[in-house]
């Protein structure tokens, strides 16, 4: 046997013997429930820490309490997300479940007719309803938040696109945001109205692109200010509608090191005899 391989095997045996002798929790004995964020690039890019991404901020807020799963897919519309939803949702099991799902769609559905991502408004509403219904089966007991797309900054977008690449407009983003509000009201679920929150704030935010450059970095996607705003809106909605999921009120799954004296004490706190 190669000497390096022998040493690796021998070291592994020693580690296993050490673990066998030391008190340990059994596998899968702790429950880390989840938040799942579903959507297009506005959700995918929520993980970007350099722009203070909103899902990154949520993950930080829920660290040691809930795990965050980002299921954002750049360029996707509601039709395509609906089609893949059963395959991308974490499977429920006895050790963890989804406690909250966010759905942020509409920015790509709002492309002009004839472009690849366009989905007509009526179908968009139907897709949102179908996604909500599927989540009731795939994540039983989970809370749902529907989020509107942000307003579309036409002048800002035009700085990054050639004239023949202009594929959407401000009026379209308004119509699809309204569709999200309508479906949320119909389903009696909270709506996080990002569109209105940004639009209400652009008057004092004077900029060369009608003020949208204060919240959007390219007319479509959120910059740091936009991500901060969405994170604040989401946490406010969670605290108002689902107070048991307020991260400031949720205990750690594994207690702070300040709360136990030694390993045996830690294991007892976690429900395992030393």
């Amino acid at each position: 046997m190669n000497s390096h391989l022998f040493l690796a095997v021998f070291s592994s045996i020693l580690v296993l013997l050490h673990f066998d002798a030391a008190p340990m929790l059994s596998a899968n004995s702790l429950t880390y429930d989840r938040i799942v964020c579903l959507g297009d690039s506005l959700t995918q890019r929520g993980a970007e820490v350099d722009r203070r991404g909103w899902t990154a901020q949520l993950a930080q807020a829920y660290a040691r309490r809930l795990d965050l799963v980002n299921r954002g897919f750049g360029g996707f519309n509601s039709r395509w997300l609906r089609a893949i939803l059963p395959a991308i949702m974490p499977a429920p099991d006895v050790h963890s479940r989804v406690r909250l799902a966010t759905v942020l769609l509409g920015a790509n559905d709002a492309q002009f007719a004839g472009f690849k991502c366009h989905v007509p408004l009526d179908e968009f509403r139907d897709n949102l309803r179908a996604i909500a219904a599927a989540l009731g089966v795939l994540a039983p007991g989970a809370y749902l938040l529907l989020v509107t797309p942000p307003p579309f900054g036409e002048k800002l977008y035009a700085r990054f696109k050639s004239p023949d690449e202009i594929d959407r407009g401000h009026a379209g983003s308004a119509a699809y945001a309204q569709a999200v509000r309508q479906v949320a009201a119909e389903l009696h679920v909270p709506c996080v109205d990002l569109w209105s929150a940004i639009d209400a704030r652009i008057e004092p935010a004077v900029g060369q692109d009608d003020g949208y450059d204060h919240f959007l970095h390219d007319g479509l996607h959120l910059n740091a200010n936009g991500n901060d705003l969405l994170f604040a809106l989401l946490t406010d909605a969670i605290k108002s509608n689902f107070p048991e999921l307020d991260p400031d009120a949720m205990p750690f799954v594994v207690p702070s090191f300040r709360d136990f004296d030694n390993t045996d004490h830690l294991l007892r706190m976690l429900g395992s005899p030393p």
Side-chain angles (χ1 to χ4, degrees), residues 188-201:
H188 305 289
V189 300
C191 177
V192 175
D193 194 349
L194 178 61
W195 200 100
S196 295
I198 290 179
D199 209 54
R201 289 167 171 79

Side-chain angles (χ1 to χ4, degrees), residues 25-36 59 62-69 90-100 245 250-256 266 270:
L25 287 178
S26 60
N28 299 319
S29 60
L30 294 179
T31 297
Y32 274 94
D33 291 338
R34 301 175 177 124
I35 297 173
V36 179
Y62 283 98
R64 299 182 64 170
R65 299 171 175 91
L66 298 173
D67 287 343
L68 187 134
V69 180
D93 57 45
V94 296
H95 303 295
S96 65
R97 62 190 177 95
V98 176
R99 302 288 299 279
L100 172 68
L245 296 186
M250 294 184 72
F252 289 162
V253 174
V254 174
S256 167
L266 170 63
L270 293 172

Side-chain angles (χ1 to χ4, degrees), residues 75-130:
F76 264 55
N77 57 28
S78 61
R79 181 187 298 153
W80 300 333
L81 188 74
R82 174 183 178 177
I84 67 170
L85 184 60
I88 63 173
M89 284 295 293
D93 57 45
V94 296
H95 303 295
S96 65
R97 62 190 177 95
V98 176
R99 302 288 299 279
L100 172 68
T102 67
V103 177
L104 170 48
L105 290 165
N108 295 321
D109 301 70
Q111 276 190 337
F112 298 138
F115 283 87
K116 179 177 180 178
C117 299
H118 173 74
V119 172
L121 266 171
D122 285 344
E123 183 190 343
F124 176 64
R125 294 187 191 94
D126 286 342
N127 289 338
L128 289 182
R129 296 182 188 106

Side-chain angles (χ1 to χ4, degrees), residues 42 45-58 60 222-232:
L42 288 163
R45 295 188 182 202
E48 294 178 346
V49 295
D50 56 330
R51 289 198 173 97
R52 295 184 51 80
W54 64 273
T55 69
Q57 292 192 57
L58 272 182
Q60 181 178 11
L222 302 174
N223 61 18
N225 290 331
N227 278 304
D228 285 345
L229 177 59
L230 179 51
F231 172 69

